[in-house]
Amino acid sequence: MPPSPITFPWPTTLITNRLVLRPIEAGDVPAMSRLWTDTDVRRHLGGPVDAATLRLREQHCVGARGAFSVVLREDGAVVGGVQVEADPRRAGRVEVSYQLLPEHWGFGYGREAVTAAVGWAREATTPWGAEVVAVTQEANVRSRRLLESIGMQQAESFVEWGAAQVLYVAGPPS
């Protein structure tokens, strides 16, 4: 019997031209905490997480399966995070999600990190038939543009957490 479609090698490090995506380390926790509490980052994600949720995330994020810190190769600064995990909405899909700290928006780091994560997720999980998806709020125009720029295609729309959401699917491998 083949492994579950959500089985992938971990820990894993992905390297791009400017970034390293690696498992979250203890020194990354302050940056991760900012991602979970910054009002700009969380604008389309339901707002900053509450104190109890923040404490739990801080305690369990280091080395968590599928959770990458996005780090600049040049100086090691953490610029964001990417998560690759089973899609909680439907079996057989892998969801890629991402957040960048506001001071790093507009430099193409999101596109570079998400491209690497989607490529890795597709390669690591597709032998078992997993589909790679990403979900963003319909109102999050920047995120939608990023997903479309890397070749992901809008597949469905739905309402979740009180807001219109759009699900994107990674096209066939090139």
Side-chain angles (χ1 to χ4, degrees), residues 8-27:
F8 50 83
W10 193 259
T12 296
T13 298
L14 310 175
I15 299 174
T16 70
N17 288 338
R18 301 179 297 164
L19 305 172
V20 175
L21 282 71
R22 58 163 171 71
I24 297 171
E25 298 175 353

Side-chain angles (χ1 to χ4, degrees), residues 141-160:
V141 175
R142 290 179 74 149
S143 183
R144 294 182 69 189
R145 207 174 0 190
L146 182 155
L147 295 171
E148 291 166 3
S149 78
I150 67 167
M152 294 189 83
Q153 301 165 356
Q154 184 175 338
E156 57 185 90
S157 297
F158 54 95
V159 174
E160 190 172 52

Side-chain angles (χ1 to χ4, degrees), residues 27 42-45 48 59-60 72 78 80 86 88 94 106 110 124 150 168 170:
R42 302 291 302 175
R43 175 176 293 125
H44 299 289
L45 297 168
Q59 291 169 359
H60 298 289
L72 294 177
V78 177
V94 174
I150 67 167
Y168 284 84

